[in-house]
Amino acid sequence: MTTLLNQQPRYLQLAQTLINEIQAGKYGIGDLLPTEYDLCEQFGASRFTVREAVKRLVQMGLVDRQAGVGTRVRAQQAVSGYQQVMQQLGDLQQYTADTELDIVSRQTIEIDESLCGLLRATPGETWLRIEALRRSGDSPYPICVSEIYIHPAFRTIENVGSATHAPIYTLIERQFGEQITEVQQEIRAVNVTSAQARQLNVKARSAALWICRHYINRRGEVVEVAISTHPAERFSYSEKFQRDWRPV
Amino acid sequence: MTTLLNQQPRYLQLAQTLINEIQAGKYGIGDLLPTEYDLCEQFGASRFTVREAVKRLVQMGLVDRQAGVGTRVRAQQAVSGYQQVMQQLGDLQQYTADTELDIVSRQTIEIDESLCGLLRATPGETWLRIEALRRSGDSPYPICVSEIYIHPAFRTIENVGSATHAPIYTLIERQFGEQITEVQQEIRAVNVTSAQARQLNVKARSAALWICRHYINRRGEVVEVAISTHPAERFSYSEKFQRDWRPV
DNA sequence: AAGTGGTCTAGACCACAGG
DNA sequence: CTGTGGTCTAGACCACTTC
């Protein structure tokens, strides 16, 4: 009893069958799945194979098991989908090591109503604003223009754009002992402004990738906001997601 | 050979032994661990027990394994505390539930050289190509135009664009028992083509967000490629990353 | 061709939960 | 007590990598 048809291992086929049946409602939430012995008979497989299959369902959070009781359905859909494979937060800057940050301007500004939405701040706070161009050794043209806002508590930050190539949020962590626990990122397509077009050496109103990152501490406060505008042909953003149940 | 002493299952004891030896430097990073057969002899255990033990090391990220090669040490310490997770809510299709897919065309096409790079296929393969517009109930204009390529093995896929609102890769998983284990995503800014401009009801050459996703199975093969082009003002892509504080 | 890990079988004994 | 899942053995064949 073997087959060329499906190249997937047997236990994954069984797992998929059970997943489908759970999603189809054949077993409702709280119900017991058939016992391992039953499944062995149903599928004509050994207990090892059946257990490997059910392990997948456990890892997906669809069922839980208890010795002496059985396998109980806990959810119809996998609780979590995909996980970003990132070793370091710094992978968000996909080029940090190879590039330099040219500071164009650095000044403190008082927040007005047009900015308080973006920074989630209240008007009147005095933040640090840094404008910069990111360059790579290879090309004469900047990769992007960046607009960085830093919370008043950290506006004395030093060594921004130094030779260290370190992302700014790591400087804040190191110089002030603040810990970034969350990063929110939004990506849009935009047309560059004429000022940006001059800085970047592209045509006015050409397409660009706009990336805005909010760096947030453990109390939920915005510590830094960085907006980067990348000319379309000079940058693309790549990421990789993997199913977060273990591949064994 | 039994014992009252250690109440832990045998495979956990073996795992702990191996962890200790790796941390003690008995096996350096990059080194191969003894083969399963060797470990069976060393510990006087069956292959099942040894494999259960090594699985723990894999899950901790201490080693990885490759058939035909062996088990290689990758780290001395479990990777924990500095890993970032993607919220499952920020799932890849950030809108699937609220929107519908209008199929514009569906046809099989033979891969030529211009496509084999994108699809990581060889010329001559016959893939399914679907062109579609994604619409929301709210707006008269489409959110994006999509170009979807599906591997020959799954080109008989059914119910694409049906009322289910299910992402296409989940249809492949359900209808063929194939499991997607990895998604690679690339985001660019582009100018829409004139054909796209007509479909989307925007001005020709206006800026758009270009998102290309490769859906990959466990053998590393490309199962589906989806390219979506979103007019700048109709869509932005958001993600959230958090530090992972999970004990090991 | 030899050796690796990946899959799978057909048994076995155990601790535990339930009637 | 019976039946459950948890652990474990001793085999086997396979796909793959390496020589």
Side-chain angles (χ1 to χ4, degrees):
Chain A
M1 133 125 41
T2 142
T3 167
L4 301 172
L5 264 193
N6 206 326
Q7 304 142 329
Q8 297 261 19
R10 198 79 191 290
Y11 64 87
L12 286 183
Q13 302 175 35
L14 300 203
Q16 191 59 50
T17 300
L18 293 172
I19 292 169
N20 291 344
E21 291 182 344
I22 288 174
Q23 285 176 354
K26 176 165 176 180
Y27 309 108
I29 291 180
D31 290 357
L32 288 174
L33 242 50
T35 67
E36 294 183 353
Y37 179 79
D38 281 347
L39 292 175
C40 290
E41 282 202 324
Q42 282 185 34
F43 294 116
S46 71
R47 205 173 149 213
F48 171 88
T49 304
V50 166
R51 281 180 65 79
E52 282 298 314
V54 176
K55 261 186 212 173
R56 296 315 189 277
L57 306 202
V58 174
Q59 288 165 6
M60 294 167 64
L62 290 177
V63 302
D64 60 15
R65 332 189 69 195
Q66 196 182 352
V69 179
T71 303
R72 202 173 292 277
V73 177
R74 286 306 178 196
Q76 255 188 331
Q77 300 286 333
V79 275
S80 51
Y82 290 87
Q83 196 180 53
Q84 240 271 9
V85 283
M86 260 199 314
Q87 302 316 324
Q88 301 208 350
L89 216 44
D91 288 357
L92 284 176
Q93 271 89 10
Q94 299 185 329
Y95 37 62
T96 33
D98 313 327
T99 60
E100 327 178 327
L101 204 60
D102 263 10
I103 308 297
V104 175
S105 74
R106 172 184 176 143
Q107 57 196 326
T108 52
I109 59 164
E110 201 175 310
I111 302 307
D112 59 15
E113 284 172 9
S114 69
L115 275 176
C116 65
L118 174 72
L119 304 183
R120 302 173 200 167
T122 52
E125 292 180 12
T126 306
W127 288 49
L128 174 62
R129 180 180 189 277
I130 295 174
E131 208 177 342
L133 294 171
R134 187 169 289 278
R135 298 180 190 281
S136 131
D138 306 345
S139 163
Y141 304 125
I143 298 170
C144 71
V145 51
S146 289
E147 202 180 328
I148 300 157
Y149 297 91
I150 295 175
H151 187 280
F154 314 109
R155 65 192 185 200
T156 58
I157 186 173
E158 292 167 353
N159 295 324
V160 177
S162 69
T164 63
H165 300 270
I168 289 179
Y169 80 90
T170 65
L171 297 180
I172 294 178
E173 288 189 319
R174 220 165 311 168
Q175 292 177 28
F176 300 94
E178 188 74 24
Q179 229 194 347
I180 307 295
T181 58
E182 183 176 322
V183 180
Q184 293 167 10
Q185 172 169 275
E186 186 181 358
I187 304 180
R188 298 175 176 276
V190 296
N191 300 104
V192 298
T193 65
S194 52
Q196 289 170 337
R198 274 192 301 277
Q199 289 179 308
L200 293 168
N201 207 294
V202 295
K203 279 191 293 192
R205 298 200 47 74
S206 62
L209 206 60
W210 180 93
I211 301 181
C212 175
R213 297 192 179 103
H214 283 79
Y215 295 84
I216 309 216
N217 68 11
R218 65 173 63 256
R219 289 185 303 284
E221 297 157 352
V222 173
V223 167
E224 176 195 342
V225 177
I227 301 174
S228 299
T229 304
H230 303 75
E233 67 281 2
R234 287 188 206 155
F235 181 71
S236 79
Y237 180 78
S238 297
E239 40 187 2
K240 188 158 78 169
F241 303 93
Q242 285 174 347
R243 277 260 152 97
D244 58 2
W245 50 83
R246 3 235 227 235
V248 177
Chain B
M1 145 113 33
T2 140
T3 166
L4 303 170
L5 266 192
N6 207 329
Q7 302 142 331
Q8 293 261 28
R10 197 78 191 291
Y11 65 86
L12 285 184
Q13 301 175 33
L14 300 204
Q16 194 55 54
T17 300
L18 292 172
I19 291 169
N20 292 343
E21 290 182 346
I22 287 174
Q23 284 176 352
K26 175 165 176 181
Y27 311 106
I29 290 180
D31 290 356
L32 288 175
L33 242 48
T35 67
E36 294 183 354
Y37 179 80
D38 281 346
L39 292 175
C40 289
E41 283 201 326
Q42 283 184 34
F43 294 115
S46 72
R47 207 173 149 214
F48 171 88
T49 304
V50 166
R51 281 178 66 79
E52 282 298 314
V54 176
K55 264 185 207 174
R56 296 314 187 279
L57 306 203
V58 173
Q59 287 166 9
M60 288 190 268
L62 290 177
V63 302
D64 60 14
R65 331 190 70 196
Q66 196 182 354
V69 180
T71 302
R72 203 172 291 277
V73 177
R74 285 307 177 197
Q76 257 188 329
Q77 300 286 335
V79 283
S80 79
Y82 228 66
Q83 207 168 8
Q84 280 73 28
V85 184
M86 174 188 175
Q87 291 287 86
Q88 85 253 14
L89 258 189
D91 203 358
L92 290 177
Q93 268 82 12
Q94 300 185 329
Y95 39 62
T96 28
D98 313 327
T99 61
E100 333 179 322
L101 205 59
D102 264 10
I103 308 297
V104 174
S105 74
R106 171 185 177 140
Q107 56 195 327
T108 52
I109 58 163
E110 200 175 312
I111 302 308
D112 59 13
E113 284 174 8
S114 70
L115 275 176
C116 65
L118 173 72
L119 304 182
R120 301 173 201 167
T122 51
E125 292 180 12
T126 305
W127 288 49
L128 173 63
R129 180 180 189 277
I130 295 174
E131 207 177 342
L133 294 171
R134 188 169 288 280
R135 296 180 191 282
S136 131
D138 306 347
S139 163
Y141 304 126
I143 297 171
C144 70
V145 51
S146 288
E147 202 180 329
I148 300 157
Y149 297 91
I150 296 176
H151 187 280
F154 314 109
R155 65 191 184 200
T156 58
I157 185 172
E158 292 167 351
N159 296 324
V160 177
S162 69
T164 63
H165 301 267
I168 289 179
Y169 77 90
T170 65
L171 297 182
I172 294 178
E173 289 188 319
R174 221 164 308 171
Q175 291 177 28
F176 300 95
E178 187 76 24
Q179 263 199 342
I180 306 295
T181 58
E182 183 175 321
V183 182
Q184 294 168 8
Q185 172 169 275
E186 185 180 359
I187 303 180
R188 298 175 176 276
V190 296
N191 300 102
V192 298
T193 65
S194 51
Q196 288 170 336
R198 274 192 301 277
Q199 289 179 306
L200 293 167
N201 206 294
V202 297
K203 280 191 291 192
R205 299 199 45 73
S206 63
L209 205 59
W210 180 93
I211 302 182
C212 175
R213 297 193 179 102
H214 284 79
Y215 296 83
I216 314 237
N217 69 11
R218 59 200 308 276
R219 290 187 301 283
E221 298 157 351
V222 174
V223 168
E224 176 195 341
V225 177
I227 301 174
S228 299
T229 304
H230 302 75
E233 67 282 0
R234 286 187 208 155
F235 181 72
S236 78
Y237 180 79
S238 297
E239 298 176 288
K240 187 154 84 169
F241 303 96
Q242 284 176 339
R243 275 219 171 125
D244 192 8
W245 57 79
R246 138 180 51 186
V248 174

